[in-house]
Amino acid sequence: MQTVFSTVLPDVPQAAGIWLALLAVAAVAVAALFVRPGRFRSAFGDRISEAAMPSSFELAEEARERARYAQEVAVAAERSATTAGRRRAEWLAAQEEAEEAWRAYEAAEEDVRRLAAAAALPLPRTPRTPAEYADRERWLHRAALDAQWRQEITVQQLSDILGHRGWDPSRHPVEQELLLRRLVRENLLTRQQAAREREQAAWQAAELAAAAARSLRDEAYTATGRAPAAQSLLSTVDVADATATRETATVARGRAAVPAY
């Protein structure tokens, strides 16, 4: 025990001095907090804020990421604008095709009305001889070949006419022409309806492409921190009446212009 005490007791005054020094420093710090609390609070707050702020390296990396994103969005917007322009051109072409199909149908309908009025009159009497029937048959075959050459009837319909399936070559040429023009009218009506459906599908595709291009364009301007530019429109086909009613369903007229980018 004497050995232990002789070893420890000499260090007690030194340890007590250290503890007293630490207590004095703590007391001075506490007193300073009470005397100037705002100064220490602001100093600690500034240090904490500085520690929370991103470093210059992080700021540079974030700037590079924003630039890369803006470039990617700009490229996507440019491609989307090209697609929108192509879809709009396809829609205008489909609209013109539908208009041409409608005009062809109207011309066929006018021919049917004219021939129906002519067929209502008494037909001229001709001698019912084999030569007359042969002439009528040749006329029907030639008229059918001409109609197929103009792509007004199909190859199958031409085959039916030449094979006399559902067609009587002994009938008067006026009656034959009326039946043939009615067949042409039905074909042109079917063709016009298909063209109208294609025009509607092309218009919807152009609208979707324009909306996508507009969204990407706005996103690109937002990414670069600039205000979006004014939207440009290409002139659409001039249409007289948007609500005109017809004997059959017509193509969409007066449709809203699809924006071009």
Side-chain angles (χ1 to χ4, degrees):
M1 291 295 292
Q2 291 179 355
T3 302
V4 173
F5 283 131
S6 63
T7 304
V8 173
L9 288 177
D11 295 333
V12 170
Q14 184 179 1
I18 294 174
W19 280 104
L20 289 174
L22 292 176
L23 290 175
V25 171
V28 171
V30 171
L33 287 176
F34 281 103
V35 175
R36 301 289 296 275
R39 179 179 179 182
F40 287 94
R41 188 181 303 115
S42 62
F44 285 122
D46 293 342
R47 292 181 180 179
I48 294 174
S49 299
E50 291 177 0
M53 290 292 291
S55 64
S56 58
F57 175 78
E58 293 175 343
L59 291 175
E61 185 67 22
E62 183 179 356
R64 284 194 296 269
E65 286 295 325
R66 285 199 301 268
R68 182 184 59 81
Y69 174 73
Q71 184 178 5
E72 291 177 354
V73 174
V75 172
E78 183 178 357
R79 293 177 179 175
S80 182
T82 302
T83 301
R86 185 169 61 252
R87 292 289 184 269
R88 188 175 190 278
E90 293 173 355
W91 165 60
L92 292 176
Q95 189 181 54
E96 182 62 26
E97 179 185 357
E99 289 289 343
E100 292 179 358
W102 173 255
R103 289 191 291 268
Y105 168 76
E106 284 185 325
E109 178 65 23
E110 181 62 27
D111 289 342
V112 169
R113 286 196 293 266
R114 176 179 55 81
L115 291 173
L121 300 175
L123 298 176
R125 294 185 176 274
T126 56
R128 298 179 179 272
T129 60
E132 173 66 19
Y133 289 140
D135 289 341
R136 293 182 179 185
E137 182 178 2
R138 283 193 298 270
W139 183 92
L140 176 61
H141 292 177
R142 184 171 61 253
L145 288 171
D146 292 341
Q148 203 283 324
W149 182 80
R150 294 190 298 269
Q151 297 183 350
E152 295 176 343
I153 63 175
T154 64
V155 175
Q156 181 60 44
Q157 290 170 341
L158 174 63
S159 177
D160 292 339
I161 293 174
L162 298 180
H164 305 158
R165 291 185 291 271
W167 292 80
D168 184 6
S170 64
R171 303 185 67 170
H172 195 276
V174 174
E175 297 176 336
Q176 298 284 16
E177 187 176 6
L178 177 58
L179 294 176
L180 184 60
R181 296 316 300 175
R182 283 176 176 170
L183 177 62
V184 170
R185 181 190 62 181
E186 296 302 321
N187 290 342
L188 292 178
L189 177 59
T190 302
R191 190 178 303 173
Q192 187 273 331
Q193 290 174 345
R196 180 171 59 88
E197 293 176 357
R198 288 193 298 271
E199 185 270 340
Q200 291 177 348
W203 179 75
Q204 292 176 358
E207 280 286 305
L208 292 176
R214 184 165 52 250
S215 177
L216 283 174
R217 182 203 61 184
D218 295 342
E219 180 66 21
Y221 278 109
T222 302
T224 55
R226 293 181 295 172
Q231 170 178 298
S232 63
L233 296 176
L234 292 180
S235 59
T236 187
V237 178
D238 186 18
V239 183
D241 187 6
T243 58
T245 56
R246 293 173 173 170
E247 182 176 340
T248 60
T250 65
V251 299
R253 293 176 175 268
R255 200 187 292 279
V258 177
Y261 297 87

